[in-house]
Structure formats: structure tokens, C-alpha cells
Amino acid sequence: MKILFCTTEVQPFSKDGGLADFSASLPKALASLGNKVNIVSPYYKQVKDNYGDQAIYLGERKIKFGAFEETANYYLIVLNNQEYYFVSHPFFDRNSYYDYRDDAKRFVFLNIAILEMISLVSFYPEIIHVNNWHTALIPYFLDSLYLNHANYKHIKTLLTIHSLEKQGSFPMAVETFITKKNYTYQHNDQVNYLKSGIMRASKINTVSKSYRSEILTKFFGFSLDGPLKSRQYELIGIQNGIDFSVFNPATDNNIYKNYSLNNYSEGKFFNKQALLKELNLKDTNKPVIALIGRLAREKGIDLIIEFIDDYLKNDELYLIVAGSGDYEYEDFFESLKVKYPNNFHFFNGHVHDINQKLFAASDIFIMPSLFEASGLNQMIAMRYGTVPIVRETGGLKDTVSHFSEENKSGTGFLFKNYDSSELKDTLDNAIKIYKNDEKTWNLIIENGMKVNNSIAKMAKAYHELYKSLSE
């Protein structure tokens, strides 16, 4: 099948969160099943600066939206036999990807520019796969603006929801950007881009089975539980996976020393020693706790803030944080770096090789999310023999099984309520086993490293979903 995969982030060109990894790994796995998958994304300043010398100019299109007209320029980059198309405009020639005052206009432009690109490059897909609110208007524009175009009328659409909290909801005034008006995108007296995708996509999916169930409820539905319930028979949950060819401690060139299930004990200790030496942290007997990812409220950072000072002050552990996000959290971790230089380190940003070193060197990975559509980092942690502590929600509870003292099964530690004391108790229990029961700790590590969360399983599920759409 021919698939056009639309995303606002894709590794190695752009990354703000897990969408970038998903966008890189799924098309690759789908191609191995015989599909032709082309990826399209904005030509950000970062892409131009780092890969501009590899970009082939394809042409331009006049993009009309409402009373406005702008010119889109298009580029192609081929990397490892994968074709990446890019939409260029000053809208995207900025230092950040999101959270600008003109986001409503930027992403209406992007959605129509993607549809215009199809005829420019003569790649007419059977399926257009869109992700999150940023490309969720494509199904509506396909129906309202391109239905009479012979090469477009048979195209089906799939919307993947990675996060329901962020919806692309704007004042009704932005309706001036939309050529053909309709109730589809209206929600709570706002123009809601994600709601439009929910109502107009041929099918919808979330990135875990539990999250699929959760978003039909009022708490997790963020006011879109009603529209989702109206499409629940076209709503599917597919568990995310990770690319084992990328996330493999036996072959990963980013870590200090490679290791596998057969020699993880020596391998992880070597990586731990090397990382601590690099950070000028000396005690290899203390547990290393890693927090890796986007620093945002929904990631449960507030729970950690409530008690982490006690651990650091009492010299009980090392906490190493890698990520970026909301300023208040970045500022907090920068202050900890000054306050506890002998027990804490903060890597501000998303740097793949640093993340990999952390996964290999750490003893415990912590991810206490308020909600989590899927999560990838807990799977990567287990793959690298780092024991996860996660909250029992969404994809986290689908991928991490709680360790049972009784039958010695489980791949990590889960806590149920969004409560700092419950998280602290869970962390205390994990540290207790780490310090006092090496045999049990190694069993948890081995259980996690044996789990098959391969992207190949996920790709087969999407392949079958695409087939059902094209029938």
C-alpha cells in the first residue's frame, strides 16, 4: 500500500517528544512489510540548518485558506532509503516548533500544503496517516476541498492520537482561515482541530489499548469523550513499540560499553562507572535514578518535586534528569544542579546519545505520569536493563508489570494513585530491593530485558488497520 505519513516531528530531523521516535520507526517497519511510506513534515529552521545541504528543491504551490494566500515550497531528503518531504515557509523558520500566537494559521497552512504536495510530487496514497491535532484538519480538508479531484477521492485517512490534552483549540475567529465552514470543527464555542479529525477521519487509533478505553471517560477525555464515543466503533488501540535495531544495548554505539542479557551485570556497571566519572559523581554503590523525557505537568514532575530534596540532602541516591519542556520545571532542575552538585545532574534538552548513556548506566527509571497515551521510555529502559517505576495509567500499565514478591514475577514497579507519598513509598521499596536483594533485583532486570516490545508487532497491527481501510 501507498501511505503518506504526516507528522510535525520525526527523528533525526526534529524532536520534542515521543512522536518523533514513532514517526521515524513506524514507517521503517511498515516498509519491511511491503508498504511504500513517504513522510512529510515542516521544514523547520533546525532541519534547514542541519540537513539543508542534502535537500532537493521540488517546487512550490500557492496555498489558499479562507481569505489568505501563502506560498509553500517543498523539499525532499532521502536518508537511509526513506523519502522525507518537507513543507517550507517562514511559519516554520523559527527556533521552536510549537506554542506561537499564530499556531492556528501555521497549521491550517500546513494541512492544506500537505494535500497540495500530493499532486506536485504525483504521490497519490491509498492512506493518509495524520498525527495529533497539528495535522488533524487534513481529513476535513480532503472531504471539503478535494473530494471532486479524481486522484484524491479514494484516499482514506487514519488519525493517531498520541495526546488528547493538546487539541489545537482556538477562538472562533480563526474560522476565517477555513474556506468551507462546517460544524465538524466546532467544540465548546471554539475551533478545535483535533475534534475535526476525530469526526472526519476514516478511522482513529490511540497508541495503547488502555488509553483507548480511558479517553472515553470524562477525566481522560478532556471534553472530547462525547465525540470519541460517537466514533468508538472506529476507534482502535494499538500498543506502541520500540525499534530494536536502534534501542539495543548489544549494538548501541552511543553507550560506553555494549552488553546483552548474557552479561548485563558487568555491562551496566561499566556504563554506570563511566557516566558517574564523566559527571564527577563518585559513589558507584548509590542507585542512579533517571528521569528522561518532556518536562510537563502530565509527566508527573510535580510528584517528584514534592520529595526529591530529602533524598538528595541525605545523600541517598543520584538523580539525573534529561529533557526539556515547561520553564518552571527546567528552572527547578537548574536550581537543584546548583544546590546538590554532588548528587544531581541536569541535561537540558533532547540529545539522543545522552539519553542512551543514561538508559544504559541507570539503575531505576522513573515515569510517574498523570496520564500517558503510550510512553516509549519505559520500554527502552527495560530493554537496557533499567528497572522502571511508573504510574498505573494508559500505556504504562500495558507495558510494565508490577513486581510480585510472592511469585518473583514482574518487570518493574507500579503505583496507582497520583500521589507523591505513594510514589515515594514505591521508590523506597525499589531501592530497598536494589540494596539488599541482588538476586531479586537481577531477576526484575532479566524479566524486563526479555519483554518483546518490538516495533515489528506494532507495524503488523497498523498494516492490518490500513488493509481494513482500503477494502
Side-chain angles (χ1 to χ4, degrees):
M1 282 178 287
K2 293 168 71 176
I3 318 295
L4 182 62
F5 189 91
C6 310
T7 179
T8 51
E9 303 170 30
V10 57
Q11 284 275 49
F13 304 99
S14 53
K15 178 178 173 68
D16 183 63
L19 174 60
D21 302 297
F22 177 86
S23 302
S25 57
L26 178 59
K28 175 183 171 183
L30 286 166
S32 70
L33 297 175
N35 299 289
K36 171 62 175 172
V37 187
N38 286 344
I39 301 168
V40 58
S41 192
Y43 195 56
Y44 295 117
K45 182 178 184 295
Q46 177 184 335
V47 180
K48 183 173 68 173
D49 291 347
N50 295 331
Y51 294 91
D53 59 340
Q54 300 177 46
I56 302 166
Y57 181 66
L58 299 175
E60 66 173 46
R61 280 282 194 269
K62 297 295 181 184
I63 308 302
K64 296 179 181 179
F65 50 110
F68 302 88
E69 182 176 294
E70 299 282 346
T71 300
N73 287 282
Y74 299 90
Y75 293 87
L76 170 67
I77 298 175
V78 180
L79 194 64
N80 298 323
N81 298 316
Q82 173 65 59
E83 294 181 10
Y84 300 87
Y85 291 91
F86 292 95
V87 178
S88 175
H89 187 276
F91 282 147
F92 309 116
D93 194 15
R94 303 175 184 180
N95 291 327
S96 299
Y97 309 147
Y98 315 122
D99 300 326
Y100 289 98
R101 289 184 177 182
D102 60 347
D103 273 1
K105 190 174 186 180
R106 295 171 74 219
F107 291 106
V108 166
F109 169 85
L110 177 67
N111 282 240
I112 299 176
I114 288 172
L115 289 167
E116 283 293 309
M117 186 198 76
I118 290 172
S119 60
L120 175 72
V121 301
S122 296
F123 181 78
Y124 295 99
E126 293 159 78
I127 312 289
I128 298 179
H129 187 158
V130 304
N131 293 272
N132 284 347
W133 72 263
H134 310 87
T135 51
L137 284 172
I138 285 176
Y140 173 67
F141 289 143
L142 181 65
D143 287 348
S144 62
L145 302 177
Y146 293 86
L147 199 58
N148 295 323
H149 293 57
N151 290 322
Y152 286 76
K153 64 183 181 180
H154 299 298
I155 297 174
K156 305 294 184 183
T157 54
L158 173 67
L159 166 65
T160 296
I161 299 173
H162 303 262
S163 172
L164 198 64
E165 184 184 29
K166 296 182 179 179
Q167 302 176 2
S169 185
F170 303 99
M172 283 301 298
V174 307
E175 196 177 25
T176 57
F177 303 143
I178 299 174
T179 302
K180 291 191 176 181
K181 312 294 187 285
N182 192 278
Y183 71 91
T184 300
Y185 50 74
Q186 295 178 21
H187 185 67
N188 292 342
D189 297 320
Q190 299 267 90
V191 173
N192 189 302
Y193 292 20
L194 186 59
K195 191 251 185 177
S196 173
I198 290 168
M199 300 309 295
R200 287 300 187 108
S202 306
K203 286 198 176 180
I204 314 147
N205 83 284
T206 64
V207 286
S208 71
K209 292 181 179 179
S210 287
Y211 192 63
R212 185 259 178 210
S213 300
E214 288 174 351
I215 62 175
L216 296 174
T217 67
K218 187 172 280 293
F219 179 78
F220 290 101
F222 289 100
S223 83
L224 288 176
D225 48 301
L228 285 163
K229 284 176 182 173
S230 74
R231 299 290 315 277
Q232 62 182 306
Y233 298 109
E234 289 80 42
L235 175 63
I236 300 101
I238 298 176
Q239 178 59 55
N240 264 358
I242 56 175
D243 188 339
F244 276 16
S245 68
V246 174
F247 300 109
N248 184 355
T251 58
D252 190 340
N253 293 325
N254 296 296
I255 66 178
Y256 300 101
K257 183 178 182 178
N258 294 119
Y259 59 93
S260 67
L261 186 60
N262 296 323
N263 64 340
Y264 67 86
S265 184
E266 298 86 355
K268 283 194 68 65
F269 186 70
F270 185 95
N271 279 276
K272 182 176 181 177
Q273 279 184 310
L275 178 67
L276 293 181
K277 182 179 180 180
E278 193 173 297
L279 301 181
N280 199 29
L281 304 173
K282 299 181 172 32
D283 188 356
T284 56
N285 292 316
K286 283 197 299 193
V288 174
I289 316 298
L291 171 65
I292 304 168
R294 189 161 47 87
L295 305 179
R297 181 187 66 89
E298 65 268 21
K299 297 299 180 181
I301 310 299
D302 291 327
L303 299 187
I304 298 169
I305 288 174
E306 287 189 35
F307 64 76
I308 198 61
D309 267 273
D310 293 336
Y311 285 106
L312 299 175
K313 184 169 54 181
N314 295 328
D315 200 28
E316 295 181 52
L317 52 76
Y318 293 124
L319 174 64
I320 304 176
V321 176
S324 62
D326 295 350
Y327 173 77
E328 62 182 294
Y329 300 127
E330 291 184 3
D331 190 52
F332 173 78
F333 288 127
E334 290 289 359
S335 71
L336 282 189
K337 195 174 177 180
V338 175
K339 194 174 180 181
Y340 302 108
N342 297 322
N343 287 318
F344 177 80
H345 194 83
F346 178 37
F347 294 101
N348 193 337
H350 295 285
V351 181
H352 180 73
D353 64 325
I354 290 174
N355 292 352
Q356 298 313 99
K357 286 180 171 66
L358 267 178
F359 282 123
S362 300
D363 300 300
I364 295 170
F365 171 76
I366 190 166
M367 196 170 182
S369 303
L370 174 62
F371 55 88
E372 192 68 55
S374 168
L376 296 175
N377 284 347
Q378 80 280 7
M379 292 184 264
I380 300 170
M382 290 189 292
R383 177 82 164 147
Y384 283 71
T386 298
V387 176
I389 295 176
V390 302
R391 196 172 88 78
E392 194 177 311
T393 186
L396 298 179
K397 69 178 180 181
D398 287 351
T399 53
V400 179
S401 57
H402 186 66
F403 174 70
S404 167
E405 294 274 5
E406 187 177 335
N407 56 28
K408 304 297 183 184
S409 65
T411 60
F413 299 87
L414 288 86
F415 66 102
K416 187 170 185 177
N417 298 303
Y418 191 73
D419 179 82
S420 62
S421 61
E422 198 168 319
L423 169 58
K424 186 177 184 300
D425 288 345
T426 307
L427 179 57
D428 285 340
N429 183 42
I431 292 173
K432 179 182 175 183
I433 296 173
Y434 167 82
K435 287 182 174 179
N436 302 318
D437 192 344
E438 183 180 359
K439 182 179 179 181
T440 296
W441 188 257
N442 287 341
L443 180 62
I444 301 170
I445 290 174
E446 291 165 15
N447 290 344
M449 292 185 76
K450 290 175 182 176
V451 173
N452 181 11
N453 285 316
S454 168
I455 193 80
K457 288 173 63 180
M458 180 178 87
K460 288 177 183 176
Y462 278 98
H463 180 73
E464 292 303 315
L465 181 53
Y466 291 157
K467 282 171 61 178
S468 73
L469 280 169
S470 61
E471 288 172 354

